Amino acid sequence: MANSEETYKSMMSVKNLEGLSSENALSHIGHLTDLSFDLGKTEGLLHSIKLADELQKRELNDEQLALSHYFLANAYADIRRLSKAGTEKSWEWQQEEIEKEIFHLRTALRAGSQQDEIMCPVLTNLGNLMNEIGRSVEAVEYWDRAMDRSSSFAMARGNRGYGLSYYAGSLYDPGHYGIFLKHAHANLKEALLSSDLDGDARHGFTKMRDWIESVISPEEVNMDMESFSLGISDEEIRYRKWCLKNRLFLNPLNDLGPYSIAATDVFSLPSIVVDIDEGPYYPGYFNQIKQEFVSARYLYYEGVHSENPHFSDREVLIFNTLDYPSYSLAVEKMKASFRMAYSLFDKIAFFLNHYLRLSIPERNVSLRTIWYKSRDRKKGLRDEFTQRQNWPLRGLFWLSKDLYEDKPGFKESIEPDAQELHEIRNHLEHKYLKLHDDMWMGPSERDHKMFRALADTLAHSMYRRDFQEKALRLIKMVRAALVYLSLAIHWEEQKRKKERDPEAIVPGMPLDIWEDEWKV
């Protein structure tokens, strides 16, 4: 310990990175971060953050940039762990260090490093954070991405099993609950075969595995997940396979993988108790949100997979503006999909405003702001949320932090390109978004003498491929939000049931299914 203290003092004496190469600077920052946490020195962690911020002013390659953000995320995580509040903070909805961790891990991911030894921990830590804040859908995908890079990375597999156990606990379908626990048990069992786990991880994974075995017998959960129909026509089968691959069905089982059992949008609202003179407006509203989502999903699919010009585009006079523009029905389908998907965030907020009786004027409802007193972030969270132990509702709150809103207090986001998504939507709705094929030279055209006179300065220009990627990510985000909304309602209904007079009579109102042949 004495030697560690001396090393720590020596490292703290380095006040700036002058004279250090980028590689040596990274080594110094990483070592100082680890040593500061081992010694419980918050001051050292803050100094490593200062040095990392200084380093990022340099021209760094992809690996160096990713590693610098990874170290920053670790430093903020260590500051949080050293907090005296400990477990008392576990249900605090507002935690600045978590916001910083997520932002820097996502930025590390976007740096484009090809090194698995960097990216696997980045993806795993993102999964762990998403799970902690209630964003279970996204957590599973991050862990799966880590395992896709390295199937032997035991921390990702073990945390996936751990997270699936919590996800299972929030579900209200007993069949889904058993399937999730079976998959969780398999992940934990396989992870525990690895010799790479540290003591704390091994203890936690073992404890969760043993708990699952005390609740169910995983070997007895024998649900067939692969023999379900994917449709009648080849076109329908291709579409459903694409949805499964991208985890876009409103069905929690799709988060487990592309199993055919998940190829239906069965997820809806749990039973909701309302006053005797109230109608079934909650299911009706969710029906509408759900229909808009699946329609946006299909419009996007059609736009991306269109191979030939549509007859509606024939003989439509379009001038060649010499910047390889993309004009077609397929492009407009993708744009319409983006607009529809983005609009669902505020429709979810409208639902919550009524269900939770927040009494926010309808014209002021937005998913980004409903959580705060007077919709002002400086005034803090509303009392309804500060310590509410509703895991998926907190997930929806944290998902809202991925959105940008052009208002004081809401311009910062934990999603690095949130403002760009907002700008895309703004231009789609009110201005001029222009997509370009790959032959376009990009924004550099505006600076090139040859093309400056031809630059389309009115447009918000993007490569078509970049727009496709962002639109798909947006649709996945909306799908996650709808899952969290339904699970949050389930938690609230369970809470209200416990608070209700046990002698109260609650008559049921069963609703029939709207048959497929009626959907014309």
Side-chain angles (χ1 to χ4, degrees):
M1 180 63 71
N3 289 337
S4 296
E5 287 283 358
E6 291 174 6
T7 303
Y8 171 77
K9 289 178 182 178
S10 175
M11 299 192 77
M12 286 292 287
S13 68
V14 178
K15 300 302 181 185
N16 58 61
L17 301 176
E18 187 176 348
L20 289 177
S21 68
S22 296
E23 284 298 320
N24 288 338
L26 279 168
S27 177
H28 180 87
I29 292 167
H31 190 187
L32 177 59
T33 300
D34 292 342
L35 188 58
S36 297
F37 177 68
D38 291 341
L39 297 174
K41 304 283 190 179
T42 300
E43 181 187 12
L45 294 169
L46 292 173
H47 188 56
S48 69
I49 290 171
K50 172 181 172 293
L51 294 177
D53 287 338
E54 178 187 340
L55 177 64
Q56 289 178 354
K57 295 175 183 177
R58 299 183 183 181
E59 289 289 332
L60 303 176
N61 62 38
D62 292 344
E63 278 69 29
Q64 291 169 339
L65 185 60
L67 196 56
S68 67
H69 281 287
Y70 176 61
F71 287 158
L72 276 166
N74 288 345
Y76 283 112
D78 290 343
I79 289 173
R80 182 162 59 94
R81 293 187 187 103
L82 292 179
S83 168
K84 299 298 182 183
T87 56
E88 295 176 7
K89 288 190 71 173
S90 62
W91 274 107
E92 283 188 14
W93 283 36
Q94 288 277 55
Q95 296 193 46
E96 184 179 354
E97 290 85 4
I98 290 183
E99 292 189 27
K100 301 284 190 183
E101 287 176 65
I102 294 173
F103 178 84
H104 286 294
L105 287 171
R106 282 174 164 174
T107 307
L109 201 57
R110 281 173 169 73
S113 170
Q114 299 302 310
Q115 295 186 15
D116 289 347
E117 58 268 29
I118 299 175
M119 288 298 100
C120 285
V122 166
L123 288 163
T124 300
N125 289 353
L126 271 168
N128 297 346
L129 283 168
M130 292 291 123
N131 185 64
E132 182 173 349
I133 60 180
R135 297 178 67 172
S136 49
V137 171
E138 293 134 305
V140 177
E141 184 164 4
Y142 278 124
W143 289 320
D144 284 352
R145 288 172 64 183
M147 290 190 294
D148 285 344
R149 295 188 73 114
S150 176
S151 60
S152 63
F153 195 64
M155 284 300 292
R157 192 172 299 279
N159 277 295
R160 186 183 195 269
Y162 203 90
L164 287 179
S165 304
Y166 278 96
Y167 195 162
S170 66
L171 299 173
Y172 44 86
D173 185 310
H176 288 184
Y177 176 77
I179 293 172
F180 264 71
L181 287 186
K182 179 181 176 69
H183 280 254
H185 184 270
N187 286 158
L188 291 163
K189 186 176 178 180
E190 185 170 350
L192 287 168
L193 295 176
S194 172
S195 59
D196 296 334
L197 297 177
D198 62 36
D200 289 341
R202 184 171 296 279
H203 174 74
F205 296 162
T206 301
K207 188 175 180 181
M208 183 61 79
R209 180 203 62 191
D210 294 346
W211 175 81
I212 293 174
E213 291 175 355
S214 73
V215 174
I216 67 166
S217 175
E219 291 75 18
E220 294 179 3
V221 179
N222 293 316
M223 175 66 73
D224 177 13
M225 300 183 68
E226 289 284 25
S227 61
F228 292 79
S229 172
L230 291 177
I232 301 172
S233 67
D234 290 342
E235 182 180 359
E236 181 182 2
I237 292 170
R238 283 193 297 270
Y239 169 63
R240 292 186 178 277
K241 284 183 176 180
W242 175 83
C243 289
L244 284 173
K245 177 183 176 182
N246 288 284
R247 306 181 195 215
L248 290 177
F249 278 109
L250 287 173
N251 188 331
L253 296 179
N254 199 184
D255 292 318
L256 298 177
Y259 302 106
S260 62
I261 191 177
T264 54
D265 296 292
V266 297
F267 205 55
S268 193
L269 290 179
S271 297
I272 298 178
V273 177
V274 297
D275 291 338
I276 194 69
D277 59 345
E278 294 183 82
Y281 48 77
Y282 287 126
Y285 189 61
F286 195 83
N287 283 347
Q288 182 61 39
I289 294 177
K290 188 173 181 178
Q291 183 62 56
E292 290 182 26
F293 170 78
V294 298
S295 298
R297 182 181 69 193
Y298 185 68
L299 283 173
Y300 175 84
Y301 171 82
E302 280 198 319
V304 170
H305 291 89
S306 176
E307 296 179 353
N308 300 302
H310 192 267
F311 66 81
S312 67
D313 289 323
R314 291 176 190 158
E315 299 187 32
V316 176
L317 180 62
I318 297 287
F319 290 103
N320 183 1
T321 51
L322 306 180
D323 52 1
Y324 299 94
S326 291
Y327 292 110
S328 67
L329 177 62
V331 168
E332 296 310 312
K333 284 181 178 180
M334 287 192 295
K335 290 179 179 179
S337 172
F338 191 102
R339 288 198 298 268
M340 289 176 67
Y342 209 113
S343 73
L344 291 178
F345 291 128
D346 287 344
K347 293 180 180 181
I348 290 171
F350 181 87
F351 188 106
L352 288 174
N353 184 46
H354 190 279
Y355 178 76
L356 297 175
R357 305 178 182 91
L358 302 179
S359 301
I360 300 172
E362 290 182 6
R363 66 183 178 277
N364 295 326
V365 172
S366 79
L367 190 60
R368 187 70 175 94
T369 63
I370 63 168
W371 316 95
Y372 302 94
K373 296 174 183 176
S374 302
R375 304 175 310 284
D376 185 343
R377 192 175 181 183
K378 291 182 179 179
K379 293 183 179 179
L381 282 178
R382 296 173 63 110
D383 295 338
E384 295 95 329
F385 302 119
T386 49
Q387 287 291 331
R388 203 183 199 104
Q389 296 188 17
N390 185 328
W391 188 53
L393 184 63
R394 187 170 72 165
L396 198 50
F397 163 71
W398 276 89
L399 184 146
S400 77
K401 290 177 177 288
D402 281 358
L403 303 176
Y404 172 93
E405 196 152 314
D406 193 13
K407 295 179 182 177
F410 297 101
K411 295 183 179 181
E412 292 185 355
S413 171
I414 59 175
E415 171 55 59
D417 65 353
Q419 184 172 355
E420 184 178 4
L421 293 177
H422 175 270
E423 285 295 319
I424 291 171
R425 186 207 189 189
N426 189 36
H427 279 79
L428 282 172
E429 296 285 4
H430 308 294
K431 301 178 186 179
Y432 172 25
L433 179 76
K434 191 173 192 177
L435 302 186
H436 304 263
D437 290 331
D438 287 345
M439 294 294 289
W440 180 50
M441 290 177 60
S444 62
E445 284 191 0
R446 298 188 181 213
D447 301 322
H448 197 288
K449 288 182 180 180
M450 232 181 113
F451 297 103
R452 191 175 299 155
L454 299 174
D456 194 342
T457 54
L458 282 181
H460 181 88
S461 288
M462 297 180 65
Y463 283 107
R464 181 172 175 173
R465 64 174 184 271
D466 291 341
F467 178 80
Q468 287 181 192
E469 182 273 327
K470 292 182 188 302
L472 178 59
R473 184 150 50 87
L474 175 68
I475 294 169
K476 291 167 76 73
M477 186 176 167
V478 173
R479 185 252 182 187
L482 291 174
V483 172
Y484 303 149
L485 173 65
S486 178
L487 296 181
I489 299 302
H490 171 59
W491 188 95
E492 290 294 327
E493 288 300 309
Q494 293 299 108
K495 177 174 177 288
R496 292 177 184 184
K497 182 178 180 180
K498 293 177 182 177
E499 296 171 348
R500 196 180 301 129
D501 181 354
E503 301 298 322
I505 298 176
V506 183
M509 181 181 175
L511 298 175
D512 291 333
I513 301 299
W514 192 257
E515 300 294 343
D516 287 346
E517 55 265 29
W518 301 343
K519 300 171 184 175
V520 294

